[in-house]
Amino acid sequence: QVQLVESGGGLVQAGGSLTLSCAASRSIFSLSTMGWYRQVPGKQRELVADISRGGSANYIDSVKGRFTISRDNTKSTVSLQMNSLKPEDTAVYYCKARVVIHSPPSDYWGQGTQVTVSS
């Protein structure tokens, strides 16, 4: 089973920064749109940002201007730089790979990493 491995979570004060990283196998990464999702207890998992194989990025409105998603196609990693963190950013953050070269697409998820922002 393919596993994506996240790292970089932790506890920070409001206004601080964290950078999350996700490592995937080359065979999956090279064929995938990569995304970061987050989930808080009692709420649905939501897309935070994603990035295509060609580097086109999308963000939810609440993180625009604060978060930056990037991918390194040589290292097969995707990162999420999070600046100006707010308590409402507190969540478990998940990395996802969606293989997009065939239909139906297939999804692979990491185990998640906790981000806690204190006020």
Side-chain angles (χ1 to χ4, degrees):
Q1 185 173 1
V2 176
Q3 185 177 23
L4 286 70
V5 181
E6 303 100 333
S7 61
L11 191 153
V12 297
Q13 192 171 354
S17 299
L18 282 174
T19 299
L20 306 181
S21 183
C22 171
S25 67
R26 176 183 173 273
S27 60
I28 296 299
F29 185 90
S30 64
L31 304 176
S32 297
T33 293
M34 303 298 298
W36 286 98
Y37 290 70
R38 66 188 181 189
Q39 188 169 26
V40 300
K43 300 293 184 180
Q44 291 183 274
R45 189 173 298 182
E46 67 172 351
L47 173 70
V48 178
D50 63 16
I51 185 167
S52 72
R53 294 190 295 160
S56 297
N58 301 289
Y59 303 88
I60 55 171
D61 287 343
S62 62
V63 308
K64 287 181 179 177
R66 299 190 298 121
F67 291 10
T68 302
I69 188 170
S70 62
R71 66 190 293 159
D72 186 327
N73 292 330
T74 300
K75 297 181 178 180
S76 297
T77 58
V78 61
S79 297
L80 185 68
Q81 181 180 326
M82 304 184 294
N83 299 324
S84 301
L85 282 162
K86 304 174 180 180
E88 51 263 46
D89 295 318
T90 295
V92 177
Y93 283 71
Y94 297 89
C95 179
K96 187 185 85 172
R98 169 162 284 191
V99 176
V100 295
I101 55 89
H102 54 74
S103 182
S106 53
D107 294 339
Y108 301 88
W109 291 89
Q111 298 281 66
T113 185
Q114 177 71 46
V115 172
T116 302
V117 184
S118 64
S119 59

